[in-house]
Amino acid sequence: MATVISNERLGDGVYHLVVEGGNGGAMGQFYMLRAWGAYPLLSRPLSIHQVNDNGVDFLYHVVGEGTEILAGLNPGDSLELEGPFGTGFPKVEGKVALVGGGIGIAPLYYCAQELPDSDIYLGFSRESFRTDAFRPLAAELTVDVGGLILDSVDFAAYDHIFVCGPHPMLKAAQLKRIAVETSGKRPNVYLSLENRMACGIGACLVCSVSCKDGQRKACADGPVFLAEEVLFHD
Amino acid sequence: MIKTSATIAGVHFKNPIVMASGTFGFGREYGKLYDVSLLGGISGKGLTLHAKAGNPGVRVYETASGMLNSVGLENPGVEAFLAKELPYWETLDTARIVNLGGNTLPDYVLGAELIQRDADARLLTGKKAVDMIELNISCPNVKEGGIAFGVKTPAARDVVRAVRAATSLPLAVKLSPNAEDIAEMAEMCEAEGADAVSLINTISGMKIDVRRRRSVFNNLYAGLSGPAIKPVALRMVHQVARRVTIPVIGMGGITTATDIIEFIMAGATVIQVGTYNFMNLRAGSTLTEELQQFMAEENISSLDEIRGIV
Ligand SMILES: Cc1cc2nc3c(=O)[nH]c(=O)nc-3n(C[C@H](O)[C@H](O)[C@H](O)COP(=O)(O)OP(=O)(O)OC[C@H]3O[C@@H](n4cnc5c(N)ncnc54)[C@H](O)[C@@H]3O)c2cc1C
Ligand SMILES: Cc1cc2nc3c(=O)[nH]c(=O)nc-3n(C[C@H](O)[C@H](O)[C@H](O)COP(=O)(O)O)c2cc1C
Ligand code: FES
């Protein structure tokens, strides 16, 4: 059990939830959240936005039933937290770019804290949020609203690039990596995938990801994968 | 002292709570969250002779009180299971059930033979072997095999007969709610020498994405599980338990101790818990506690007192 410390609305359907409880975690890991009884049936996966002194922060976008319930939580309310789960971003050395699209910026805040001096790229389709929180953590901060944030990132300039965002953005990042590889540069591009999950711990196989070496589990082997490992089918 | 144990074909279940195939992996992941040896048993992820990648596309969708899955029997294959997962199972104090699926009849038979040979070898060296095979003729999510065998009794009879001949291990046959006549199917299993029947597997269902004007699943249909199917499952367990003398392993939508009691009252010897494992990652430990508590409250000293009383 965890307790809501605050649940602040940041903008259009975006909330910052701070809870007391949980078991910390590493960059790119996630928790399964549940603030209801039997229904909705499944718990919801949310990335660790930040590990605070007594618990964890989440940044989430209201898209449906579950996140709507989360949005109604008030300080003092309790919720169930299972985690941290998953294999997140590696602790790397070298020149790092953190690239987030929309709510995909959520896990990158913790990365920014753990990897100071990273260049941070945040892209939004309509309105930006949390950019002021990122600013002091970035070597350089690039914010884009309405365009394609990946266009601003020179893949050849980095040793490691962490990407989290909508599906088309992840595919585009994979293609961009292939393009830059032909010019002799080989940045390690890491993608954080958001497959639908049921158990979150690696037991049910509904989150399966097709990879070069066979099927992997988004919840346990991922959610973070090297871009060249993932086979995007659609 | 409250007695919750049961025996099926010589296999001891310390309590009636068995984890259902496909929802519990091989127990390792849940084993990190609680002591899975407190369970009555574990039915492992459905295996096929060779490894299977499962279905592409979306594999899960929530419904009113349930979920649809289209995993499509992704699994490591029988041999990899025996080499990599069974050694873990050896460390557990719970009934070990292998769930065996197949694409073709020879696949089922070869799979059962491999499991039998492994069990023979283990028993010779004093190691723990698989306790039971649960033959899955009812997966709705694979095109060949699976459900194709589980709907019509004559087709199912061929598989059950061939697998029965291939193994002397206790054999439960897992039935599909999509069977034309599930009670007739169960009678056939008993006649062919099965030691138990387990039911139900998921119910074939569908979800359409109206904006994209297509099913959300690449395979069109998917398997419905969870509380939504409990009334159907309970009725089928009741029907089948009246028609066969072999034990019935009942499942479908169980999430509480009273759900367990309902299935036992309908005639089940032990039960399985599937989807609830996703709603509560500690389902096994929650349910074992709740069951003891409920039985104490209701002055039930043994599940034998209430089995099949309805
Ligand atoms: C590892 C991981 C980390 C995530 N981190 C965040 C985060 O930090 N912030 C955030 O806002 N969102 C995050 N998501 C997406 C988030 O889980 C979904 O937006 C949320 O589950 C939607 O639930 P709902 O009930 O509001 O929507 P509904 O549409 O009502 O949900 C129905 C079902 O679809 C699933 N689902 C819907 N959208 C998604 C999606 N985009 N990804 C995965 N499953 C989905 C739900 O979990 C649920 O099972 C993450 C997803 C994953 C897999
Ligand atoms: C994700 C998922 C995967 C499943 N995989 C298998 C399987 O491999 N073999 C099998 O016999 N049943 C499989 N099932 C069916 C369950 O074992 C069980 O029969 C069914 O879900 C009904 O029980 P429940 O309502 O408690 O989940 C699966 C079910 C789910 C939800
Ligand atoms: S969500 Fe169950 S295996 Fe990944």
Side-chain angles (χ1 to χ4, degrees):
Chain A
M1 273 295 175
T3 310
V4 176
I5 302 299
S6 64
N7 189 24
E8 189 194 349
R9 184 174 172 280
L10 300 185
D12 204 10
V14 176
Y15 288 76
H16 180 197
L17 172 67
V18 182
V19 306
E20 192 181 300
N23 306 300
M27 294 184 283
Q29 285 194 304
F30 66 93
Y31 276 84
M32 295 298 282
L33 283 82
R34 199 172 184 94
W36 50 84
Y39 310 107
L41 201 81
L42 302 174
S43 303
R44 301 302 196 237
L46 290 183
S47 304
I48 297 172
H49 182 59
Q50 171 176 220
V51 173
N52 63 53
D53 288 343
N54 305 307
V56 202
D57 290 25
F58 301 97
L59 189 71
Y60 63 95
H61 196 189
V62 175
V63 297
E65 212 183 343
T67 45
E68 214 148 275
I69 297 173
L70 292 181
L73 292 176
N74 292 307
D77 287 349
S78 61
L79 74 164
E80 284 168 62
L81 275 192
E82 291 279 9
F85 295 138
T87 307
F89 293 105
K91 194 126 202 191
V92 294
E93 284 176 11
K95 191 75 190 134
V96 179
L98 308 177
V99 190
I103 200 65
I105 71 168
L108 300 183
Y109 188 65
Y110 193 26
C111 299
Q113 289 178 321
E114 297 279 299
L115 300 168
D117 294 327
S118 304
D119 287 348
I120 302 177
Y121 298 85
L122 308 177
F124 305 89
S125 54
R126 280 176 293 123
E127 75 177 328
S128 66
F129 47 85
R130 277 301 263 175
T131 50
D132 287 344
F134 276 91
R135 197 174 309 278
L137 302 175
E140 208 169 313
L141 178 73
T142 309
V143 176
D144 178 275
V145 179
L148 297 174
I149 188 67
L150 274 179
D151 290 349
S152 311
V153 188
D154 174 9
F155 272 39
Y158 296 98
D159 300 307
H160 307 277
I161 304 172
F162 294 0
V163 186
C164 186
H167 200 75
M169 177 170 161
L170 300 181
K171 279 196 290 186
Q174 189 188 48
L175 292 176
K176 221 171 152 167
R177 185 197 171 275
I178 294 169
V180 74
E181 190 173 347
T182 56
S183 69
K185 294 278 179 186
R186 285 173 174 268
N188 292 313
V189 177
Y190 296 91
L191 309 179
S192 180
L193 271 47
E194 287 196 357
N195 288 19
R196 282 169 180 258
M197 294 180 179
C199 70
I201 58 173
C204 71
L205 307 182
V206 306
C207 68
S208 201
V209 183
S210 297
C211 288
K212 274 194 184 143
D213 59 351
Q215 297 300 120
R216 310 281 296 274
K217 300 165 187 173
C219 65
D221 301 319
V224 175
F225 293 89
L226 271 171
E228 64 264 34
E229 287 178 2
V230 182
L231 302 175
F232 289 111
H233 288 299
D234 48 351
Chain B
M1 190 53 193
I2 291 173
K3 177 177 173 285
T4 55
S5 64
T7 304
I8 298 178
V11 180
H12 176 74
F13 293 84
K14 67 174 71 138
N15 63 52
I17 301 165
V18 178
M19 291 313 177
S21 179
T23 63
F24 208 68
F26 296 104
R28 281 181 201 274
E29 294 80 11
Y30 292 93
K32 290 179 197 152
L33 297 168
Y34 66 95
D35 177 12
V36 296
S37 285
L38 57 77
L39 297 168
I42 297 176
S43 176
K45 172 64 199 167
L47 296 171
T48 48
L49 181 61
H50 303 294
K52 250 174 110 74
N55 293 333
V58 167
R59 287 186 175 189
V60 66
Y61 210 93
E62 281 183 276
T63 69
S65 310
M67 60 174 261
L68 289 159
N69 91 80
S70 180
V71 171
L73 275 184
E74 175 176 340
N75 80 91
V78 172
E79 260 170 314
F81 161 76
L82 294 172
K84 293 189 192 138
E85 304 294 345
L86 204 47
Y88 169 69
W89 276 18
E90 262 184 81
T91 67
L92 303 177
D93 176 25
T94 186
R96 291 165 275 269
I97 304 174
V98 167
N99 182 276
L100 179 67
N103 286 340
T104 64
L105 199 144
D107 276 6
Y108 277 107
V109 172
L110 289 170
E113 283 174 356
L114 277 177
I115 295 164
Q116 179 70 47
R117 231 177 291 149
D118 176 84
D120 291 343
R122 282 173 173 275
L123 291 173
L124 275 179
T125 56
K127 283 193 197 158
K128 283 181 186 159
V130 161
D131 291 308
M132 183 182 280
I133 294 180
E134 181 178 62
L135 186 65
N136 176 12
I137 53 167
S138 47
C139 180
N141 293 327
V142 288
K143 284 217 173 74
E144 305 150 43
I147 194 75
F149 289 111
V151 176
K152 294 191 186 295
T153 308
R157 183 189 304 276
D158 290 345
V159 182
V160 176
R161 184 174 288 170
V163 170
R164 179 70 288 178
T167 177
S168 57
L169 286 163
L171 179 68
V173 182
K174 185 157 172 184
L175 306 179
S176 166
N178 309 306
E180 283 177 349
D181 182 342
I182 198 163
E184 177 194 85
M185 194 68 101
E187 283 177 331
M188 177 279 288
C189 294
E190 177 164 30
E192 293 296 335
D195 298 293
V197 282
S198 57
L199 61 148
I200 58 177
N201 209 316
T202 54
I203 303 178
S204 181
M206 188 177 192
K207 166 72 192 174
I208 291 173
D209 179 337
V210 293
R211 293 211 159 67
R212 296 170 70 196
R213 303 181 181 200
R214 49 164 296 223
S215 168
V216 301
F217 298 104
N218 285 28
N219 237 8
L220 217 56
Y221 308 140
L224 181 65
S225 66
I229 72 169
K230 201 194 96 188
V232 178
L234 194 60
R235 184 263 294 170
M236 288 185 157
V237 165
H238 186 263
Q239 261 178 339
V240 165
R242 254 124 217 96
R243 292 272 287 274
V244 295
T245 60
I246 50 175
V248 174
I249 301 170
M251 77 198 82
I254 290 173
T255 65
T256 63
T258 51
D259 290 345
I260 297 174
I261 297 289
E262 281 193 73
F263 275 81
I264 303 282
M265 287 184 172
T269 297
V270 299
I271 58 89
Q272 292 187 7
V273 176
T275 302
Y276 184 50
N277 285 302
F278 311 147
M279 301 164 68
N280 173 1
L281 294 177
R282 290 171 178 78
S285 102
T286 307
L287 288 175
T288 42
E289 266 172 45
E290 279 183 4
L291 183 64
Q292 287 283 339
Q293 212 178 320
F294 182 84
M295 288 173 71
E297 277 166 25
E298 292 291 315
N299 284 319
I300 302 169
S301 57
S302 160
L303 290 175
D304 301 334
E305 284 168 24
I306 56 162
R307 184 165 292 112
I309 61 164
V310 174

